[in-house]
Amino acid sequence: MELSYNRLLLISLWQYNHHEEEGLTRSLFEETFGKTQGSHYYDKWMNSFNRNLWDMIAYFRGEGENGQKFCDMLGKQIEVYRENRKHYGIY
C-alpha cells in the first residue's frame, strides 16, 4: 500500500481547520444516508467519536457501502476546503 503524504496532510488540515460550511453537517449526513440513518451517523460523528475520522471510519467496518458513502461525502467537503484555500498554497 502506498500512502500519499500530501493527501494525508490535506485530510489532516481539513480535520483541524475547516470552517462550518466545509464540515460534515447533519444535513449532509441525511442527504447521503437518508433522514433516519443519517441522523444516527451524525450523532455518532458528533457525540460518540467527537468528529474523529479514524474512529468514524472504523465504525463502518462490515458496512463497506456506507463506509464508502462516508468517504465520498468527506472527499467532497475536503475539496471545498481545498478550493477555499488555494490562495494559501494548500493543494
Side-chain angles (χ1 to χ4, degrees):
M1 168 187 358
E2 184 176 324
L3 295 176
S4 165
Y5 170 76
N6 286 334
R7 183 61 47 103
L8 288 173
L9 177 61
L10 179 58
I11 294 167
S12 179
L13 290 172
W14 170 86
Q15 176 145 25
Y16 294 104
N17 297 304
H18 68 270
H19 294 277
E20 186 175 339
E21 68 275 4
E22 300 161 340
L24 300 179
T25 63
R26 178 180 297 278
S27 63
L28 278 173
F29 273 90
E30 290 178 356
E31 179 183 314
T32 302
F33 298 103
K35 185 143 181 81
T36 301
Q37 201 172 18
S39 181
H40 167 75
Y41 289 144
Y42 179 77
D43 182 61
K44 291 291 184 186
W45 170 248
M46 293 299 291
N47 300 312
S48 296
F49 303 129
N50 196 29
R51 296 177 291 176
N52 182 290
L53 284 174
W54 302 117
D55 290 345
M56 191 68 187
I57 290 168
Y59 179 72
F60 286 109
R61 74 180 174 274
E63 294 184 62
E65 185 177 329
N66 284 334
Q68 188 58 56
K69 285 181 182 180
F70 175 78
C71 289
D72 293 343
M73 178 180 65
L74 173 65
K76 288 176 185 174
Q77 293 308 96
I78 291 173
E79 184 59 26
V80 171
Y81 170 84
R82 188 185 67 77
E83 280 293 319
N84 289 343
R85 285 165 185 74
K86 273 187 171 177
H87 61 279
Y88 295 117
I90 293 176
Y91 50 92

